[in-house]
Amino acid sequence: MVKKVKIEDCANYISCGDCLGARDPFCGWCSLENRCSVKSKCLSSDDPLRWLPFDSNKCINITDVSPRQTPRQVEAKIQLTVDQLPPLTTGYVYSCVFGNVMTTVAMTTSNGVSCDTAQISMLPKSMPGKDHITLTLGIRSSESSTVFVEDTFTFFDCSAHTSCTTCVSSQWECDWCVYSNLCTHNSSTCSQTVVTGQNNPVTSSTKGASFCPRLLNTTSIFLPDGVSQEITLTGVHLPMPMPGQDGYMCVIDIPPTAVQVPASRVNNIIKCQAHAYSYTASQGSLQARLRVIWNGGYMLDDPMVTNVTLYKCAMLGSDCGSCLGLSRNTPYQCVWCGDTSKQCKYTKSCTSGSVQACSSITINKVSPLSGPIEGGTSVTIDGSNLGSEYSEVMDAVTIAGMPCRPNATLYIVSKRIVCQTDSVSAVKTGPVIVTINGITQQWTQEFSYKDPTVMSIIPSYGPKSGGSRVTIHGRSLNAGNDIQAYIGGVICQIDRSQLTENTTVCSTGAMSMPTTDTEVKMTFDLHPRVLPGAFNYTADPTITRITPLKSFISGGRQITVQGTNFNVIQAPKMFIMKGSLRSNSTVCNIQNSSIMTCQSPVAPVEIKAVVNRSLSKRALSPTEASVGFIMDNVMSVQNLTYYFPNVLSSLVYVMDPVYFKFKEKDGIHIQKGDNLVIEGRNLNLASESDEVLVMIGQEGCSITSLAETQLVCRTPATQPAGSKENELPWVIVSVGNLKYDIGQLQYEVEEGLSPAVIGVIAAVAAVLIIIIIIILVIHRRKTVIAKREYKHMQIQLDTLESNVRNECKQAFAELQTDMSDLTNDLVATGIPFWDYHSYAFKVLFPGVQDHPVLHEPNAYDSQQVNIEQGMKCFEQLLNNKVFLLHFIRTLEAQKTFNIRDKVNVASLLIIVFIKKMDYATEILRYLLEELVEKSVSSKHPKLMLRRTESVVEKMLTNWLSLNLYGYLKSSAGNSLFLLYKSIKLQVEKGPVDAVTADARYSLSEERLLREKIEPVTLTINIVQDGDSDNDTVQCKVLDCDSITQVKEKMLDALYKHIPFSNRPSVKDLELEWRHGRSGHLTLQDEDVTSNTDEGWLRINTLSHYKVPDAANMALIDSFNNTLKTNGDFNTTLSSINSGTPMITDVENGSRQYHLVKQQDDGQQREGRHNMISEIFLTRLLSTKGTLQNFIDNVFQTILDAQSPLPVSIKYIFDFLDESATRHGITDSEVVHTWKSNSLPLRFWVNIIKNPDFVFDVNKSHIVDSCLSVIAQTFMDSCSTSEHRLGKDSPSNKLLFARDIPKYKKWVEKFYSDISAMDAISDQDITIAMNDLSRNYESHFNKTSALLELYQYATKYNAEVLEELEDSPEARSQRLPSKLEEVADTITA
C-alpha cells in the first residue's frame, strides 16, 4: 500500500529558533510574517532577509533599545537596533507597536529603526501600588500587518510615590522636592532642598533615602485614657518651615476621628503638646497610628511606623486580682484603689492609695466534677481574684484532699486556674478548695473520683466504611475531661450531647476490611477501659437493582431497591444528583437484608425548570438524574454510576400528574353507576394504578384502570359519609407527595315509576324497535353498495401504486445507466468548474453580467492620476481598522442605505481585501461581535444571520464562499455536479412544457405537469458534414419536444465535453431534417404550418412534423454550415437561458402553448382526459425516489466532518460557541441555529440552488425548481424546530418527511464533530487567509472597487466626518482630515 505523506510540516514550529533549529531543508523563517513556512508561501522570499533558510546563522532580533524606559509624561525618541532587519517593498513602512494600546510610525536607520512615544495619552494607568507599566515593544510591517520581532519598554511615573523614602529608593531616576512634598523626574522645578534619587546618575551631597526628613524609631508610647500627657519624638533632617508655611502638628488616628495637636521642633526633637487622649471603644486597650505633618499636609516619613497604645485601667483590670496583675506584669500604670470605689485606676488618678493584696476569692464554676481514680483529669476553676500571678496559685488548689497542680500556660490571671488531679487508690468524693495569700474559698459542689466500666455495645455490627451510630453502655462513662472511644483501634466519634453516666453514643470509623469480634475501648483522661470481642465490621452494602426508574417532579413515588447487607445500616436515605445539583434526601425503609423501599425525592428547582421547558414543546421530554444513597459512611452507594456501572441508576423525572376537579359548577358530582371517572393529564407517566389512592370520604375507591388522561375506579356500594354530619364526602386523590381535592360526590337517587309511565315507555320502545329494524335494512343495502365501490377503488389504487413503483424502478435504472456513462466521461474530461475569478464574481454579484470592477475607472487621462492617487489614500484609510469600522457603522445608520447598498458594500470590501484576507477576517470578527451583542440583547437571538440586514451578514456569505472554493473543487463539487446532472437527465426523460416550464418529472408541485401525456422516445442521428471520423452521434428526444428543446438536447449530445459558455447559442442555430430524396426541411417552433385553436397557437413539435425514429438531423449556423463536434465556433456566452419559458403573446393576438393551455389565473385548462389533477402528485414521489441516492450523497459530503474541512468552518463555529459562552447563553438551540444560519444558510443553500455559480453549466427553470426543493429540505434538516405534518403541509415537506429526521442526526453529528476538533489559533487562521490571498488569482480592478466604495463616502460625507470627529481614537489618528485629503486629491 502506498501512502501520500507531506514532506514538511513547517507550521508546527512557532518560533524562529525552533524553525531553524529543526534543520528541515524545506522550512525557513518568513521574517515579516513571523511564521515558519516553505519558501513559496513567503512574500518576497527571494530577498535573503525576508526568508531565512534552515542553515541561517541567526534569527532577526532586537539587540538594543535606547532608552529602555522613559517618564510617562514625556514624549521620547527611541532607537531600536535590529539585527538582520529585512528591507521593505516600496510603499510600505515599519511602525512601532507598544502593547495593544499605541502605534507610532517608525523611521528606518542604518542599524534598525527609530520611533517616538507619541500618543502618550493612550497609555493605560499603572496598577494600584505600582509606579510603572511595562509594555511589549514590537516592530510591524504594513506589508504583512504582523508584529515580527518584540522586546519590552517601560513607562515610569515618579508622581506615584507620596513619600521621600520610596521616591528616592525607586529603580527610576526620581528625586524628592522637600518643600514641595513631591516626587518628580525633573528636579529642576524644585525650590530649596532636593533629595536626589539613588538611581539618578547626577552627583549630589543629599543623595539617597538617608537624607529624607523622617522620624526615628522610638520606645513604646502608652497613654492612659483621659489623662493629659506630652509626647516626645526624635527625627532627622527635619525641614524648617519657610515664611508663609504652617508648622508641625501631631496627628493620632483614634477611630472614628483623627486628633490633631500642635507640636514644636527643636533641632531634631519634636514635642507634641500635652493633651488628654480618649477613645470610645469598649475594650481595654487600643493601638493608634501617630503621624507628624507640617505645612498643613506634608507628612514626615515614618519608616518604622510609630504607634501609641491608649488604655483604660478599669476595663483591663475588672477585679482586684487582674488589676494587681497589670501593675506587676505589664507596662500599664494601673493600681487597685483601696477607697470606696474599689476600682482599677491609673496610678496618678488613685489619690487614696493602692492595695497590694486582694481581700476575697470568688469561685463561679468548676468543671468537670468527676474523673478516673488514676488521676490526670484537667479541672478548670473559673472565678475572680484567683491570684495576681502564677506564683500565688502554684500550691493553691486541693481536690478531695489531694493536691491539684495548676498548668502555668493555661492560667489566666485572676480569672481561671486549670489544674491536674492526682491519683487515688479507691473511689472517693471531696471538696474543691482554693487558698491564696491566706484566704480560702470552697466550691459548693464536691468532686468525685470514679472507676468507669464498659459493659456492652448496641448494635454490635456495622459496615466496614464506618458511620454506624452505636451506643456503649456501662457505668461512670462521663468521668473525666478527655473521653474517647475506639472500636478495633479506630476512633469512634463521641456525640458529647448524648454523653451520660451510663451511656455513650458514637459514630464508628472506617476499617480496611470486614472484621469480627473486635474490641471496644474507651479512655478516660488517657486511662483505658476495654470490652473485648464486642463488635463486628461487615462488608459494605451493595446495590444490584432499582425499580421503577421514573418519578414525577414532586417526588414521593415508592422506589424498590435490591442489594446486599442493607440490615447493617440504621437509617438509609435516598437522594438524586444532576451535575453539581443535589436534592434533599428521603428516608428509606429496610424490609430485609436485600430489599428496602424509598420515596423518590422532590426534584430540585433546576430540574423542574428543565421539565417545564420540555412541556412547552409538547414532547414531555424526560430529564434524568443519578440516584444515590446515604448509608452511614459507605461512599460507594453515593456514586452508583462509578462503583456500580452495570446497575441502571438514572431516575427519569417527568411532569407531575394533574387531576382535574369535577366540572359541575357547584363542585358536586352526581355519580351514576359503579365507575367513577376522574379526568386529568400525565396520569400514568410515572404512576401505576396500585400507586394511586382515591378516597371518597373515609372509604376507598378501587382503581380499575389508569390512562394518561383518565382514572377509573369502582365506588363503594353505598353512599360514603362525609367528615361532618349531613355533609357530602370529598373525593381526594393521593399519589406520592401530591394530593388533589376533586370535589364532592353524591350518588344518584333512583325513584319508582308509575304503571302509566311504564306503559308509555313500552309503547315508545316498540315503535323505536320497528324504526331500528327499517334503518338496519337500509344500512345493509348501502353497505353492500359501498363495499363494491370500495373494492373497485382499491383495485384502481393498487394499479396506480404498481405503476408508480414500476415507473420509479425503471427510471432509476435508466438514470443509473446514464449517470454511469456520465461518470466515465467525467474521468476523461473532468468537471467544468469556473475559475476562481468567475466563481468569485458570480458569488459577489449574483445575476450581474457586467460591473465596473471588471474594468478600469472611466475617467479622462488628466483625472486618471488624481483618481488613482486618491484611491490609494482611501485604501490606506480602509486598511485602518478604526476608520473602516466607523465607516461601516455610519453607513448602516442611514435610513437611505438600503439592503441593495449593504450587499454591494460587502462585496466591494471583499474585492478590496481579496489579497489581504487576514485583515478582512479580523474586520469580519469585529463586526460579528457587534452583531452578537445586538442579537443577544433582543427578544429573539435565534434570528441572527437569518436574513441579510447588515453589511457583516453579506460579508460572512462572501468570506465563506471564497474560503470554500478549494473545498468545492477537491471534495464537495463532485457530488453536487452529479446531483445537478441527475436532475437534468431525469427531467428531460419526460415532457417539459416549453411555455410554463412544467415537467412530468419534478420535485416541485408548482412545476408539476398535471396532464396525462404519453410521449414516444425517438433516437435521431445528428448529421455532421465533413466529419473525418464519420462517426454518427445519436441523441434521444421525445416526439412532444418543441424544436428549441430538440436543438438543446442535440447541443448537449454534440458538446457534452465542452463547458456551456463555449457552446454556440441555440437561437443562432436552425434545425434541419434530412430525409432522403425529399430533401432538407428546416424545422421551427412557429411557422405557417402551426396549429391554432380558439386564439391559442400551439408550438410545433417533432410529432407535428411527423418525424420518425432514426431520422437524420443537422444543426445549421447563420452561415449555413453544419455543426460538428470538432468544428470551430466562437466562444460566446449564450444570450438566452434556454430554460426560460417562452413569451406567450404573439403579434397576431394569439397566445402560445406547448403541452397545456395556461389560464390567466395560472390554472391549466382541461386536458384531454378528465382526471383529478392531484393524482399526478405521485410523480413527485417517483422523481424523489429516482434521485434519492444523489441527494443523500450531496448531504453526506457536505456534513462529513472527517474529510479535510477548511479551517474557516471550525473558526466560525468556535467563534459562535465562544460568543454564546461569553454572553451566558445556555440554550443549545440558539447556538445550533446560529451555526445553521451561518454555514448551511449563507453558503450551502446558495450553492445547492445555484450550481451555475460553481460549474460552467446552464440551469433551466425546472432544474432550478427541483434544486430549490432540495435546498429547502437541507435547511429544514438544520433547523431545531419540529414541523407538524398534515394534509395542508407543503408537498416538499411531505415528500422528505421520512428523510429529514435522518438528515437532522447528520447535522447534529457534524456540529458535534467540529466542536470536538482542536481549536483553531489566530496564527492558523492568519496562515490560511494568507494562503487564500496568495494561491488564487482574480482579475478585479481594485481602483474601480475603491471608487465605487468612495461614492458612499461622498454621499454620506457629513455623517462619516461627524462620526469620526466624535471618536477620540479617530481624532488622535487624524482620520477626519485624512478623509478630506482624499477628496482634495481627487479634485486637485
Side-chain angles (χ1 to χ4, degrees):
M1 182 176 63
V2 179
K3 289 186 177 180
K4 185 177 180 181
V5 181
K6 290 180 65 176
I7 61 174
E8 54 79 20
D9 196 5
C10 304
N12 275 346
Y13 308 117
I14 299 176
S15 67
C16 176
D18 293 342
C19 182
L20 303 186
R23 308 294 292 173
D24 188 333
F26 294 98
C27 298
W29 187 253
C30 190
S31 300
L32 293 190
E33 297 178 38
N34 198 41
R35 65 187 179 94
C36 191
S37 72
V38 296
K39 188 173 183 179
S40 61
K41 293 187 178 181
C42 182
L43 295 174
S44 303
S45 57
D46 292 334
D47 190 296
L49 295 180
R50 295 289 288 267
W51 188 79
L52 305 177
F54 75 97
D55 55 355
S56 297
N57 293 329
K58 53 185 175 180
C59 298
I60 179 173
N61 64 87
I62 299 175
T63 60
D64 184 53
V65 179
S66 180
R68 278 203 171 272
Q69 63 273 336
T70 184
R72 67 176 296 152
Q73 296 86 356
V74 178
E75 293 186 7
K77 183 169 286 295
I78 306 171
Q79 175 66 44
L80 288 84
T81 303
V82 185
D83 191 14
Q84 300 196 116
L85 181 68
L88 284 175
T89 307
T90 304
Y92 294 99
V93 295
Y94 285 123
S95 57
C96 291
V97 180
F98 295 85
N100 293 322
V101 297
M102 188 170 72
T103 303
T104 61
V105 177
M107 303 298 294
T108 305
T109 63
S110 60
N111 59 353
V113 297
S114 65
C115 55
D116 55 36
T117 60
Q119 308 175 25
I120 56 177
S121 61
M122 299 177 64
L123 291 174
K125 294 182 179 179
S126 303
M127 295 291 291
K130 299 291 184 181
D131 62 354
H132 68 281
I133 56 170
T134 299
L135 303 176
T136 58
L137 171 57
I139 303 176
R140 183 172 65 197
S141 161
S142 61
E143 187 173 358
S144 65
S145 300
T146 302
V147 174
F148 58 90
V149 65
E150 285 184 336
D151 207 320
T152 59
F153 191 81
T154 300
F155 295 89
F156 63 87
D157 184 8
C158 293
S159 63
H161 297 284
T162 57
S163 73
C164 175
T165 303
T166 60
C167 174
V168 301
S169 300
S170 70
Q171 58 182 313
W172 320 116
E173 299 176 14
C174 296
D175 301 332
W176 181 260
C177 299
V178 175
Y179 282 89
S180 300
N181 201 57
L182 175 68
C183 187
T184 178
H185 64 276
N186 183 13
S187 59
S188 62
T189 59
C190 298
S191 60
Q192 301 277 337
T193 307
V194 176
V195 181
T196 307
Q198 63 185 20
N199 288 310
N200 193 330
V202 175
T203 303
S204 172
S205 59
T206 56
K207 187 173 184 178
S210 61
F211 292 94
C212 286
R214 66 189 187 280
L215 295 175
L216 298 178
N217 191 21
T218 60
T219 58
S220 301
I221 302 172
F222 291 88
L223 302 174
D225 183 71
V227 178
S228 180
Q229 284 199 357
E230 184 181 75
I231 302 174
T232 301
L233 303 169
T234 304
V236 66
H237 301 299
L238 303 180
M240 174 66 72
M242 297 176 64
Q245 290 185 326
D246 295 335
Y248 284 85
M249 298 284 288
C250 291
V251 181
I252 300 180
D253 298 321
I254 305 176
T257 60
V259 178
Q260 290 190 10
V261 298
S264 60
R265 169 191 172 277
V266 178
N267 295 326
N268 284 330
I269 301 299
I270 296 175
K271 288 191 176 182
C272 304
Q273 183 177 309
H275 183 78
Y277 302 95
S278 63
Y279 62 96
T280 58
S282 298
Q283 58 192 73
S285 63
L286 176 72
Q287 269 206 343
R289 173 76 186 278
L290 170 62
R291 296 177 288 120
V292 177
I293 62 174
W294 65 286
N295 191 28
Y298 296 176
M299 187 170 72
L300 290 180
D301 284 9
D302 187 8
M304 304 304 294
V305 183
T306 302
N307 290 319
V308 299
T309 302
L310 287 80
Y311 63 92
K312 297 178 179 179
C313 290
M315 296 192 70
L316 290 171
S318 58
D319 57 25
C320 173
S322 58
C323 186
L324 292 180
L326 287 175
S327 63
R328 296 172 183 173
N329 306 314
T330 67
Y332 301 117
Q333 299 181 40
C334 300
V335 296
W336 184 261
C337 279
D339 56 14
T340 56
S341 64
K342 300 295 182 183
Q343 191 177 23
C344 192
K345 295 184 179 180
Y346 175 58
T347 302
K348 296 180 181 180
S349 299
C350 184
T351 57
S352 61
S354 60
V355 300
Q356 299 302 314
C358 299
S359 60
S360 64
I361 296 175
T362 302
I363 300 177
N364 296 327
K365 182 182 178 183
V366 177
S367 176
L369 287 172
S370 65
I373 58 177
E374 292 90 345
T377 302
S378 293
V379 179
T380 301
I381 303 171
D382 292 321
S384 59
N385 296 337
L386 299 177
S388 59
E389 56 187 351
Y390 177 70
S391 60
E392 294 183 351
V393 300
M394 285 181 59
D395 301 310
V397 183
T398 61
I399 295 179
M402 302 299 293
C404 190
R405 295 174 180 79
N407 187 320
T409 59
L410 299 178
Y411 172 63
I412 300 176
V413 174
S414 183
K415 301 294 184 183
R416 173 174 289 178
I417 300 173
V418 179
C419 64
Q420 197 170 61
T421 62
D422 207 348
S423 63
V424 296
S425 59
V427 174
K428 63 181 296 187
T429 300
V432 178
I433 300 174
V434 179
T435 303
I436 300 174
N437 294 329
I439 301 172
T440 299
Q441 182 66 42
Q442 178 177 321
W443 180 232
T444 56
Q445 294 176 276
E446 292 187 330
F447 183 89
S448 298
Y449 279 99
K450 297 182 178 181
D451 186 8
T453 302
V454 178
M455 303 174 66
S456 64
I457 182 170
I458 298 175
S460 60
Y461 51 81
K464 68 181 182 66
S465 292
S468 300
R469 192 172 174 86
V470 297
T471 302
I472 301 174
H473 296 265
R475 293 192 301 268
S476 303
L477 298 182
N478 61 347
N481 193 48
D482 180 16
I483 304 173
Q484 301 292 339
Y486 301 87
I487 301 179
V490 178
I491 193 166
C492 187
Q493 200 66 40
I494 292 176
D495 184 353
R496 300 291 167 179
S497 65
Q498 301 291 317
L499 182 61
T500 66
E501 184 172 1
N502 297 319
T503 59
T504 297
V505 178
C506 66
S507 296
T508 61
M511 295 288 284
S512 59
M513 62 181 65
T515 61
T516 58
D517 299 330
T518 306
E519 73 170 15
V520 178
K521 180 176 74 173
M522 290 188 69
T523 60
F524 303 88
D525 293 329
L526 303 181
H527 303 296
R529 302 291 189 272
V530 178
L531 178 65
F535 192 82
N536 294 325
Y537 276 106
T538 67
D540 287 342
T542 63
I543 305 297
T544 58
R545 188 183 182 195
I546 304 172
T547 55
L549 283 172
K550 185 181 286 188
S551 171
F552 29 84
I553 56 179
S554 291
R557 188 180 193 189
Q558 181 168 298
I559 308 295
T560 300
V561 184
Q562 298 178 20
T564 61
N565 296 334
F566 291 162
N567 58 321
V568 302
I569 304 300
Q570 297 172 3
K573 296 180 181 179
M574 175 181 175
F575 64 89
I576 59 105
M577 289 279 292
K578 180 71 173 178
S580 59
L581 302 174
R582 180 166 171 168
S583 70
N584 294 327
S585 56
T586 58
V587 177
C588 300
N589 295 318
I590 297 175
Q591 308 297 323
N592 52 51
S593 62
S594 60
I595 295 177
M596 67 178 180
T597 57
C598 310
Q599 300 293 317
S600 61
V602 178
V605 176
E606 292 78 4
I607 292 182
K608 288 183 179 179
V610 173
V611 178
N612 288 331
R613 282 199 299 271
S614 70
L615 179 63
S616 63
K617 301 178 183 178
R618 295 179 56 84
L620 298 176
S621 302
T623 299
E624 293 186 354
S626 299
V627 176
F629 298 93
I630 299 173
M631 296 186 179
D632 297 345
N633 282 347
V634 180
M635 303 307 295
S636 60
V637 296
Q638 295 190 26
N639 189 348
L640 301 182
T641 304
Y642 181 80
Y643 291 101
F644 301 95
N646 296 326
V647 177
L648 299 177
S649 58
S650 293
L651 185 65
V652 175
Y653 275 99
V654 297
M655 290 299 299
D656 282 340
V658 178
Y659 288 88
F660 300 150
K661 291 183 177 295
F662 290 137
K663 297 179 180 179
E664 288 79 3
K665 292 183 179 180
D666 56 0
I668 299 175
H669 176 67
I670 305 300
Q671 175 62 24
K672 300 177 181 179
D674 296 336
N675 292 326
L676 172 62
V677 179
I678 301 176
E679 305 288 340
R681 65 170 180 267
N682 310 330
L683 304 186
N684 64 348
L685 292 184
S687 302
E688 300 293 340
S689 59
D690 58 350
E691 297 177 279
V692 182
L693 176 64
V694 181
M695 296 296 295
I696 304 176
Q698 300 299 318
E699 299 186 38
C701 187
S702 178
I703 297 176
T704 57
S705 72
L706 181 66
E708 183 177 354
T709 59
Q710 192 178 77
L711 177 148
V712 180
C713 66
R714 185 176 298 278
T715 58
T718 59
Q719 169 83 53
S723 57
K724 297 180 181 179
E725 190 175 353
N726 298 325
E727 183 184 55
L728 293 174
W730 285 87
V731 178
I732 297 176
V733 178
S734 301
V735 52
N737 295 332
L738 300 171
K739 183 174 288 187
Y740 296 92
D741 293 335
I742 309 302
Q744 291 178 292
L745 185 73
Q746 182 176 5
Y747 282 15
E748 182 181 35
V749 179
E750 298 181 358
E751 296 181 357
L753 300 176
S754 63
V757 173
I758 293 174
V760 171
I761 292 174
V764 171
V767 173
L768 288 176
I769 290 172
I770 294 171
I771 294 173
I772 290 172
I773 292 173
I774 295 172
I775 292 174
L776 288 174
V777 172
I778 297 172
H779 178 264
R780 173 66 177 172
R781 183 182 181 88
K782 290 186 175 181
T783 300
V784 172
I785 297 173
K787 284 184 178 180
R788 190 181 299 117
E789 292 178 352
Y790 173 76
K791 186 173 183 180
H792 179 69
M793 186 179 298
Q794 186 70 34
I795 293 172
Q796 287 183 323
L797 289 175
D798 290 342
T799 303
L800 176 62
E801 182 181 357
S802 176
N803 292 338
V804 170
R805 188 185 301 110
N806 293 333
E807 182 180 354
C808 187
K809 287 182 179 179
Q810 181 180 355
F812 181 74
E814 293 176 359
L815 181 61
Q816 286 295 100
T817 301
D818 293 340
M819 291 303 293
S820 297
D821 295 339
L822 172 65
T823 304
N824 294 332
D825 292 339
L826 290 180
V827 172
T829 63
I831 297 174
F833 284 100
W834 284 113
D835 60 81
Y836 181 69
H837 170 77
S838 301
Y839 166 79
F841 181 75
K842 288 178 174 292
V843 169
L844 296 176
F845 304 101
V848 177
Q849 297 297 327
D850 193 17
H851 196 279
V853 297
L854 300 176
H855 313 287
E856 292 287 341
N858 186 16
Y860 297 110
D861 293 340
S862 58
Q863 293 178 320
Q864 188 70 28
V865 175
N866 293 345
I867 289 177
E868 289 182 357
Q869 188 62 34
M871 290 304 99
K872 285 183 179 179
C873 297
F874 186 57
E875 183 182 4
Q876 290 179 356
L877 279 177
L878 293 178
N879 284 323
N880 185 304
K881 185 164 53 180
V882 175
F883 174 83
L884 182 55
L885 293 176
H886 282 295
F887 179 60
I888 294 174
R889 293 174 192 143
T890 305
L891 294 184
E892 291 192 322
Q894 310 309 313
K895 293 183 179 179
T896 57
F897 189 70
N898 56 33
I899 298 296
R900 186 187 298 273
D901 293 330
K902 294 174 182 177
V903 170
N904 193 36
V905 166
S907 298
L908 292 171
L909 286 173
I910 290 294
I911 290 178
V912 172
F913 301 131
I914 203 165
K915 286 298 182 183
K916 295 182 66 176
M917 287 299 292
D918 55 335
Y919 178 66
T921 303
E922 185 180 1
I923 295 301
L924 177 66
R925 186 180 181 98
Y926 271 97
L927 293 173
L928 283 174
E929 287 174 351
E930 294 179 358
L931 182 64
V932 172
E933 290 276 357
K934 180 180 178 182
S935 297
V936 297
S937 61
S938 66
K939 294 182 179 179
H940 305 289
K942 286 186 180 180
L943 297 180
M944 187 179 78
L945 300 175
R946 182 166 296 180
R947 296 183 290 270
T948 302
E949 296 179 342
S950 62
V951 172
V952 64
E953 289 167 305
K954 179 59 177 175
M955 278 190 71
L956 177 60
T957 302
N958 298 338
W959 185 81
L960 285 170
S961 300
L962 297 187
N963 270 280
L964 270 68
Y965 174 72
Y967 179 67
L968 283 171
K969 290 194 69 174
S970 63
S971 298
N974 184 66
S975 58
L976 186 64
F977 183 74
L978 291 178
L979 174 63
Y980 159 77
K981 290 296 291 185
S982 64
I983 294 174
K984 185 175 186 298
L985 289 174
Q986 180 62 22
V987 164
E988 291 179 351
K989 287 183 181 296
V992 180
D993 194 296
V995 175
T996 64
D998 294 346
R1000 176 176 184 171
Y1001 297 115
S1002 171
L1003 292 176
S1004 171
E1005 184 180 355
E1006 289 74 17
R1007 283 285 173 261
L1008 181 64
L1009 184 63
R1010 300 171 187 256
E1011 183 70 22
K1012 186 174 182 180
I1013 298 174
E1014 299 297 339
V1016 176
T1017 301
L1018 305 176
T1019 301
I1020 61 175
N1021 300 316
I1022 304 177
V1023 178
Q1024 305 177 74
D1025 291 344
D1027 192 345
S1028 60
D1029 295 334
N1030 200 26
D1031 290 334
T1032 301
V1033 178
Q1034 292 186 333
C1035 175
K1036 288 186 177 182
V1037 296
L1038 301 178
D1039 66 340
C1040 63
D1041 283 345
S1042 69
I1043 304 306
T1044 297
Q1045 290 174 336
V1046 174
K1047 290 192 289 183
E1048 290 171 351
K1049 292 181 179 180
M1050 291 173 67
L1051 283 175
D1052 285 340
L1054 281 172
Y1055 303 113
K1056 62 181 178 180
H1057 302 316
I1058 306 301
F1060 183 76
S1061 61
N1062 293 340
R1063 300 180 184 180
S1065 172
V1066 71
K1067 76 168 187 175
D1068 296 332
L1069 302 174
E1070 296 291 346
L1071 179 61
E1072 190 175 83
W1073 177 18
R1074 299 180 180 181
H1075 47 105
R1077 292 174 295 176
S1078 301
H1080 298 180
L1081 177 63
T1082 299
L1083 310 185
Q1084 296 179 333
D1085 285 322
E1086 178 188 347
D1087 57 18
V1088 294
T1089 67
S1090 299
N1091 297 324
T1092 58
D1093 179 22
E1094 298 179 357
W1096 288 86
L1097 183 145
R1098 181 164 188 170
I1099 294 174
N1100 296 336
T1101 63
L1102 292 183
S1103 62
H1104 170 76
Y1105 289 107
K1106 295 181 171 49
V1107 176
D1109 191 24
N1112 295 323
M1113 297 282 183
L1115 291 173
I1116 307 301
D1117 62 14
S1118 57
F1119 300 101
N1120 205 29
N1121 294 323
T1122 303
L1123 261 66
K1124 299 174 292 181
T1125 55
N1126 60 350
D1128 297 327
F1129 47 84
N1130 293 328
T1131 303
T1132 57
L1133 287 171
S1134 179
S1135 58
I1136 64 169
N1137 184 342
S1138 61
T1140 304
M1142 295 183 178
I1143 301 173
T1144 58
D1145 292 323
V1146 295
E1147 294 180 359
N1148 59 9
S1150 298
R1151 302 179 65 188
Q1152 287 182 326
Y1153 79 99
H1154 177 202
L1155 300 177
V1156 293
K1157 298 176 182 177
Q1158 196 75 3
Q1159 294 282 49
D1160 292 336
D1161 58 2
Q1163 298 296 321
Q1164 296 176 8
R1165 299 187 67 182
E1166 286 189 12
R1168 295 181 296 248
H1169 302 278
N1170 185 20
M1171 296 182 67
I1172 302 173
S1173 63
E1174 281 70 15
I1175 202 70
F1176 297 106
L1177 292 179
T1178 55
R1179 292 177 178 174
L1180 299 177
L1181 192 60
S1182 171
T1183 307
K1184 184 251 186 182
T1186 306
L1187 301 174
Q1188 182 72 61
N1189 189 41
F1190 300 97
I1191 298 172
D1192 286 351
N1193 286 342
V1194 169
F1195 287 6
Q1196 283 178 328
T1197 304
I1198 291 174
L1199 301 174
D1200 180 15
Q1202 305 305 319
S1203 62
L1205 292 176
V1207 296
S1208 53
I1209 296 178
K1210 172 66 174 172
Y1211 179 76
I1212 200 67
F1213 278 22
D1214 281 356
F1215 167 79
L1216 296 173
D1217 287 331
E1218 292 166 5
S1219 299
T1221 302
R1222 185 167 59 253
H1223 293 284
I1225 295 178
T1226 57
D1227 188 353
S1228 60
E1229 290 189 4
V1230 174
V1231 184
H1232 184 102
T1233 305
W1234 284 356
K1235 293 178 180 178
S1236 299
N1237 291 345
S1238 58
L1239 180 66
L1241 176 63
R1242 307 219 139 264
F1243 177 72
W1244 284 121
V1245 168
N1246 194 28
I1247 294 301
I1248 292 173
K1249 289 178 64 176
N1250 300 286
D1252 51 324
F1253 285 4
V1254 184
F1255 313 112
D1256 189 354
V1257 296
N1258 175 47
K1259 183 184 66 172
S1260 64
H1261 265 240
I1262 180 58
V1263 172
D1264 178 71
S1265 65
C1266 293
L1267 289 171
S1268 295
V1269 171
I1270 296 172
Q1272 181 60 49
T1273 300
F1274 182 68
M1275 203 59 223
D1276 291 340
S1277 303
C1278 297
S1279 172
T1280 58
S1281 59
E1282 297 293 336
H1283 300 284
R1284 291 188 188 173
L1285 299 178
K1287 63 178 182 179
D1288 297 325
S1289 298
S1291 60
N1292 64 306
K1293 294 189 184 299
L1294 294 172
L1295 198 58
F1296 289 91
R1298 291 187 177 182
D1299 303 290
I1300 286 179
K1302 174 181 67 176
Y1303 297 152
K1304 281 180 179 284
K1305 292 181 180 178
W1306 292 358
V1307 173
E1308 291 172 0
K1309 185 178 185 303
F1310 178 66
Y1311 290 171
S1312 175
D1313 289 347
I1314 291 180
S1315 297
M1317 292 179 180
D1318 294 337
I1320 301 297
S1321 66
D1322 292 340
Q1323 185 178 9
D1324 293 335
I1325 194 66
T1326 300
I1327 292 172
M1329 294 302 104
N1330 288 335
D1331 289 344
L1332 178 64
S1333 301
R1334 190 164 45 246
N1335 293 342
Y1336 295 113
E1337 194 67 31
S1338 65
H1339 307 291
F1340 298 115
N1341 190 288
K1342 185 192 290 188
T1343 304
S1344 297
L1346 289 166
L1347 197 58
E1348 290 289 310
L1349 277 173
Y1350 183 68
Q1351 291 178 9
Y1352 291 100
T1354 303
K1355 181 177 180 180
Y1356 303 108
N1357 182 262
E1359 292 82 356
V1360 174
L1361 286 175
E1362 182 181 357
E1363 176 73 15
L1364 295 175
E1365 290 289 353
D1366 290 341
S1367 169
E1369 193 175 7
R1371 289 200 311 272
S1372 67
Q1373 300 182 39
R1374 298 180 52 253
L1375 296 183
S1377 60
K1378 289 182 180 179
L1379 180 59
E1380 293 175 336
E1381 289 172 6
V1382 175
D1384 295 339
T1385 302
I1386 294 175
T1387 57

